[in-house]
Amino acid sequence: MNILAFETSCDETSVAIVCDGVVVSNVVASQIETHKVYGGVVPEIASRQHLKNITPVVASAFTESGLRPEDIDGVAATRGPGLPPALMIGFRAAQGFAFARELPFLGLHHHEAHLYSSWTGGEPLAARFDEIQPSVALIVSGGHTLLVQVDSALKHRILGGTIDDAAGECFDKSAKLIGLPYPGGPEVDRLAAEGNPKAYSFPRPMLKEGNDDFSFSGLKTSVRYFLEKHPAVLEDGQAIRDLCASVQEAIIDVLVTKTIRATRRMGFRCVTASGGVTCNRGLRSRLQLACEKSGIGLRLSEPALCTDNAGMVGLLAGLYFEQGASPSVNDDDIRPGWTLDLVTSGA
Ligand code: KG4
Ligand code: ZN
């Protein structure tokens, strides 16, 4: 089955073509440069950019794949969660394509697409959904931090999530305080690689609590207090690298410890990680170490599928179509506040 997929939930305009579980094209037009001057994503501007980008991005996805519009058998788009004016562009474009060609259409959940992107691999990137096993999924992005219990393909439930800022948000907001450009996550990652993670001590929020929830806003605030007290740190290149390493270490400690703890408690032998923050080299290597130590298998989303992209949406659509989902072109509207548990319950 050849699937045309759209993802415009935030600031990436992305269109992919997935053929029988293989990503044959995955074009991402990033708006980072546009939003950089504002220090974050401006929804109205994101929407206008999506509108400008969507047609050329669709054209590139077809050119890269070597397929023609008449070769497409099904269409999918991110329905939510996300920024309403941004979601609307990709969702409506996808519906338009499906309607014009009388193709089945699926509106999918952004985090569910992130989640199952861990079950892919190889070159070219292909779905490995037959390998899905009971696991705990860590989904870490700019908007969400979730721990999810996965029993089998498309059978999952939320164990816990952030009660305030997401992990990516903590990276980005701390980076902003340090004076690094948006989005700060990759910058902190780069500088942390040459810093001492033990140089400064930051809190590990909710680490000692037995639940599966997270909280990162206090950590960001402690970076602000630290800089108010030690402004000279920002004048010294090595001190900045040490600060980035120390903040990153605190975030990773919490993510890794709580993920492994939940996996042990469930009696599962597998952890997956996905979402933009899974690009972080420190998080990848710490998860690797912790899983090895605990005899737990690890599936990390491929870096190309970690940040927002339509490839993951197309792969998930393939799984839904395979499992006999009954899609309809009139299938509802965008759902900006959609939660993952509502998908599983069908609400
Ligand atoms: O999944 P994603 O592309 O978008 C959302 O769904 O939010 O995640 C974006 C987030 C941003 O907060 C960005 O700073 C973070 O992922 N990120 C990273 C790295 N690369 C992206 N955070 C830490 N280290 C990285 N290398
Ligand atoms: Zn995302």
Side-chain angles (χ1 to χ4, degrees):
M1 184 172 192
N2 300 333
I3 297 165
L4 179 67
F6 292 72
E7 154 62 44
T8 60
S9 64
C10 191
D11 61 342
E12 323 280 2
T13 315
S14 182
V15 176
I17 295 177
V18 175
C19 301
D20 295 328
V22 178
V23 180
V24 296
S25 64
N26 190 10
V27 180
V28 182
S30 173
Q31 303 178 9
I32 284 178
E33 290 309 316
T34 309
H35 297 286
K36 220 170 212 167
V37 285
Y38 304 99
V41 179
V42 183
E44 175 61 20
I45 295 174
S47 161
R48 284 164 195 258
Q49 283 280 321
H50 284 313
L51 202 54
K52 216 167 106 187
N53 292 343
I54 196 83
T55 306
V57 170
V58 170
S60 304
F62 275 108
T63 307
E64 274 186 26
S65 70
L67 269 74
R68 297 157 304 162
E70 49 271 41
D71 298 324
I72 298 299
D73 308 307
V75 185
T78 302
R79 173 187 285 168
L83 305 171
L87 280 169
M88 189 69 89
I89 306 298
F91 193 77
R92 291 281 181 250
Q95 279 184 320
F97 188 97
F99 186 74
R101 297 195 162 267
E102 296 181 22
L103 294 171
F105 171 76
L106 274 178
L108 297 177
H109 195 283
H110 184 72
H111 300 141
E112 201 172 39
H114 271 307
L115 194 170
Y116 289 97
S117 74
S118 304
W119 297 99
T120 55
E123 184 56 53
L125 270 177
R128 304 265 188 264
F129 296 142
D130 53 328
E131 296 171 15
I132 293 174
Q133 52 175 293
S135 46
V136 168
L138 173 69
I139 307 172
V140 265
S141 72
H144 292 266
T145 301
L146 289 172
L147 270 183
V148 181
Q149 172 186 341
V150 179
D151 294 316
S152 59
L154 303 181
K155 299 274 180 298
H156 44 257
R157 74 176 184 97
I158 294 176
L159 293 169
T162 182
I163 59 166
D164 42 53
D165 288 356
E169 214 172 343
C170 186
F171 268 106
D172 295 342
K173 288 179 175 171
S174 302
K176 197 171 182 178
L177 292 166
I178 299 168
L180 302 172
Y182 174 86
E187 286 294 312
V188 172
D189 185 357
R190 186 177 63 78
L191 293 167
E194 291 165 26
N196 174 9
K198 301 209 180 327
Y200 308 110
S201 167
F202 290 102
R204 269 68 172 155
M206 296 184 86
L207 189 62
K208 295 212 163 66
E209 289 173 39
N211 61 29
D212 297 317
D213 288 330
F214 300 91
S215 161
F216 288 106
S217 80
L219 174 51
K220 164 206 67 192
T221 307
S222 72
V223 175
R224 179 156 69 80
Y225 289 151
F226 172 86
L227 286 170
E228 279 170 12
K229 218 167 152 190
H230 308 280
V233 164
L234 296 183
E235 311 294 322
D236 175 343
Q238 188 52 45
I240 291 175
R241 289 189 279 276
D242 290 346
L243 176 58
C244 287
S246 302
V247 173
Q248 178 172 296
E249 188 79 351
I251 298 171
I252 293 175
D253 262 356
V254 178
L255 294 176
V256 173
T257 307
K258 295 200 95 161
T259 304
I260 300 289
R261 192 188 291 160
T263 313
R264 283 208 182 123
R265 192 185 69 239
M266 312 290 314
F268 288 172
R269 317 280 336 141
C270 182
V271 160
T272 71
S274 57
V277 178
T278 310
C279 287
N280 186 273
R281 290 167 294 168
L283 176 62
R284 294 178 87 83
S285 64
R286 283 283 306 280
L287 273 173
Q288 194 91 47
L289 273 175
C291 285
E292 272 167 23
K293 219 169 125 194
S294 304
I296 293 170
L298 175 65
R299 311 269 316 210
L300 292 167
S301 185
E302 296 284 341
L305 293 182
C306 280
T307 47
D308 291 349
N309 67 92
M312 66 182 188
V313 178
L315 287 162
L316 177 65
L319 182 57
Y320 266 102
F321 281 124
E322 192 185 292
Q323 302 227 340
S326 49
S328 146
V329 74
N330 297 316
D331 196 13
D332 223 339
D333 205 343
I334 58 165
R335 294 194 181 185
W338 208 11
T339 67
L340 196 53
D341 274 351
L342 288 178
V343 181
T344 351
S345 67

